[in-house]
Amino acid sequence: MVEDYWGPSQKMLGDMKFLDALKSYDKDNIPEHVIQCLKKIRQKYSLNPEFDPAVIKKVSVACEGLCRWVRAMDVYNRVNKVVAPKNQAEGSDS
């Protein structure tokens, strides 16, 4: 099976509130199905030297921003899995 995201991507990018949705994205409560997508992205793209904001910027400044956002969400999610339980433990100790 070939994964083809072009159609849904065009629809999403055409949404006038797309940028607002990215800005207000609830990064502390990323749904499990999105986390699974992040894992796929990490496996398929994060190690790919072409999935680098500096490389992508040469083709599209808008795509550079999206690349940075995706990478930031991935890093935030991985760090939050370590930090959130510690914060909860500290909160319950007080």
Side-chain angles (χ1 to χ4, degrees), residues 19-32:
L19 187 57
D20 290 333
L22 293 179
K23 289 179 181 178
S24 64
Y25 191 77
D26 185 6
K27 62 187 175 286
D28 292 314
N29 298 300
I30 299 175
E32 187 58 36

Side-chain angles (χ1 to χ4, degrees), residues 13-92:
L13 291 170
D15 183 352
M16 297 298 287
K17 296 185 181 199
F18 178 65
L19 187 57
D20 290 333
L22 293 179
K23 289 179 181 178
S24 64
Y25 191 77
D26 185 6
K27 62 187 175 286
D28 292 314
N29 298 300
I30 299 175
E32 187 58 36
H33 73 278
V34 175
I35 290 170
Q36 294 305 317
C37 289
L38 284 173
K39 288 179 182 177
K40 281 185 182 180
I41 289 168
R42 196 177 307 132
Q43 291 169 350
K44 288 177 103 172
Y45 300 107
S46 292
L47 299 176
N48 184 336
E50 292 184 10
F51 191 68
D52 179 287
V55 173
I56 292 174
K57 184 178 182 177
K58 294 175 185 175
V59 179
S60 169
V61 174
C63 287
E64 174 205 14
L66 285 174
C67 178
R68 287 185 188 280
W69 187 86
V70 168
R71 291 170 67 123
M73 290 298 106
D74 179 37
V75 169
Y76 185 90
N77 179 256
R78 285 188 281 145
V79 170
N80 194 40
K81 285 184 179 184
V82 174
V83 174
K86 291 179 182 180
N87 286 342
Q88 288 176 346
E90 284 180 12
S92 64

